[in-house]
Amino acid sequence: MTSHKRNFILFSVLSIALVVLFFANISFGSIAIPFQEVFKSLTTGQASKSTWEYILIHYRLPKAITAVLVGMGLSVSGLLMQTLFRNPLAGPYVLGLSSGASLGVAFVILGTAFMPAGIGDLFRSSYGIILASTTGSAMVLLAVLVVSHRLRDTMAILIVGLMFGSFTSAVVGTLTYFSTAEQLQKFTFWSMGTLGNLSWTSIGVLSVAVLAGLGISLLSIKPLNALLLGENYARSLGLNFKKTRFLIILATSILAGSITAYAGPIAFIGLAVPHIAKLIFQTSNHLVLYWSTLLLGATIMLVCDLASQLPGLDLILPINAVTSLLGAPIVIWLLVRKKKMMG
C-alpha cells in the first residue's frame, strides 16, 4: 500500500471518528438525548422537548465546539514547539503563557479584596477573569517576543520561557498564601480547566483567535520541514530563520494564550497529540502532521470531555484531571521508548 493511499484511509477514519464523537459528545451526559433528536435540533433548531432543546443549544453544543477548538489549537501549537526547539517534550506552555494567564487570573481573584467594591465586583465576573487571563498571556508574549528579537539561540528562548513560568508561579503561590478560602476555591476551579461555561459570544471570539493562530501555523509548514535538518542547514537552504521563529512563536502564543484565557490551563494535549500523530502516520512531513495533529487533537479532546461526564450522574470531572490521567501515561511511555531507542 502506498503512503498516499494509507494517509487517505487514516484521514478518512479520523474524520468519521471526529463527526461521530462530536454527536456522541452532544448526545451523552447526565440526561441522554437520542441521536435523531440531536440531528433534528442541529438542523431545524427545534427538538421534541423544550428541555432537550435548551440543553443542546445553550450547553452541549457550545461545549463540544469549545472542545474541538481547544484540541486543535493546543495540539498544533505543541507540534510547532517540538519542531522549533527540536525537543520532543516541548509543549505550548513552555513559553510561560499559561503561567502568565494564571498570574492575571490570580491577581483578579485573589487581589480583588484590596480593590474598591465596584471595581472588585467587575473583575470577579467571568468577563473580568477572561480579560485578566488574556492580559497575563499577552504580557508574557510581549516579553518573549522582545527576548526572541535579541537572542539568536532557540534553546535560550526555551529557558527564558521556563524562567517566566517559574517567576509567575512563585507570584501566584505568594498570592494564594495570603488569600481567603473562598478566593482560593475560585482560583482552584479555574486552574482545573472547563469547556462548558462559554457563551456564544465568547466562542465566537475564541474561534477567531484559534483560526488566526492555525492560519499563521499553515505558513510555517515548509520552514518546519527545513528545520528538521537543523538550524544551520535550514539557513544554508535560504530559510529566513528569524522570521520563521517569530511566526511560530506568534502562532503558539495566540493559540495557547486565547485557549487558556477561555478554557483554563489544559495539560498534556499539546505535548502528547503530536507524538501520537507521528506514530500513526509514520512521517515527518509537516503537511501531513499538521492536518493529522489537527484532527487527532479535536478527536482526543472530545474523548476526554466524554470521559469527564459520568453517565447517569450529575457529576462532571475537571477536564484538566482527565487530560492528565490520559496524557501522563503516554508521556511516560514516550520517555521509556526514547530511552530504549537511545540504548
Side-chain angles (χ1 to χ4, degrees), residues 241-259:
F241 181 70
K242 205 168 184 178
K243 179 183 175 184
T244 300
R245 190 174 62 181
F246 174 79
L247 284 176
I248 292 173
I249 291 175
L250 180 64
T252 305
S253 301
I254 291 174
L255 291 171
S258 60
I259 289 170

Side-chain angles (χ1 to χ4, degrees), residues 44-306:
T44 65
Q46 293 180 334
S48 300
K49 295 181 180 179
S50 59
T51 51
W52 287 355
E53 187 178 320
Y54 183 84
I55 291 171
L56 288 171
I57 301 300
H58 295 282
Y59 182 71
R60 292 191 184 175
L61 184 58
K63 188 160 66 69
I65 293 173
T66 306
V68 170
L69 291 172
V70 168
M72 291 193 302
L74 291 181
S75 303
V76 169
S77 58
L79 176 67
L80 298 180
M81 287 292 94
Q82 288 169 13
T83 304
L84 175 65
F85 293 114
R86 302 190 72 187
N87 186 334
L89 297 180
Y93 298 116
V94 75
L95 295 178
L97 300 177
S98 177
S99 300
S102 299
L103 180 61
V105 175
F107 269 125
V108 167
I109 294 178
L110 309 178
T112 47
F114 304 100
M115 299 178 184
I119 298 176
D121 292 340
L122 177 64
F123 275 110
R124 276 192 291 268
S125 68
S126 58
Y127 288 107
I129 291 175
I130 290 170
L131 178 64
S133 176
T134 307
T135 305
S137 295
M139 288 177 65
V140 175
L141 161 65
L142 288 174
V144 171
L145 288 177
V146 169
V147 172
S148 67
H149 183 70
R150 293 179 175 273
L151 292 178
R152 287 181 174 273
D153 186 2
T154 303
M155 288 308 295
I157 298 174
L158 176 64
I159 295 171
V160 168
L162 291 173
M163 291 303 102
F164 274 126
S166 299
F167 175 77
T168 53
S169 296
V171 177
V172 171
T174 305
L175 287 171
T176 55
Y177 182 78
F178 292 104
S179 64
T180 64
E182 183 185 357
Q183 292 169 331
L184 194 58
Q185 185 186 40
K186 191 172 183 180
F187 180 73
T188 302
F189 279 135
W190 177 84
S191 63
M192 286 179 176
T194 180
L195 302 173
N197 291 332
L198 296 189
S199 64
W200 282 108
T201 304
S202 299
I203 290 176
V205 176
L206 178 62
S207 301
V208 171
V210 170
L211 290 175
L214 294 177
I216 297 172
S217 306
L218 264 175
L219 300 175
S220 309
I221 286 179
K222 193 173 179 182
L224 284 171
N225 284 334
L227 281 175
L228 291 174
L229 304 171
E231 292 181 16
N232 293 330
Y233 195 82
R235 282 195 179 98
S236 70
L237 292 175
L239 176 71
N240 187 336
F241 181 70
K242 205 168 184 178
K243 179 183 175 184
T244 300
R245 190 174 62 181
F246 174 79
L247 284 176
I248 292 173
I249 291 175
L250 180 64
T252 305
S253 301
I254 291 174
L255 291 171
S258 60
I259 289 170
T260 304
Y262 283 94
I266 296 176
F268 288 106
I269 294 296
L271 178 61
V273 171
H275 291 291
I276 298 173
K278 290 171 188 172
L279 285 174
I280 293 176
F281 284 83
Q282 297 179 3
T283 180
S284 58
N285 184 354
H286 281 76
L287 183 60
V288 176
L289 287 178
Y290 176 88
W291 295 108
S292 58
T293 302
L294 199 80
L295 289 172
L296 265 173
T299 303
I300 291 175
M301 201 65 207
L302 286 171
V303 171
C304 290
D305 188 44
L306 270 172

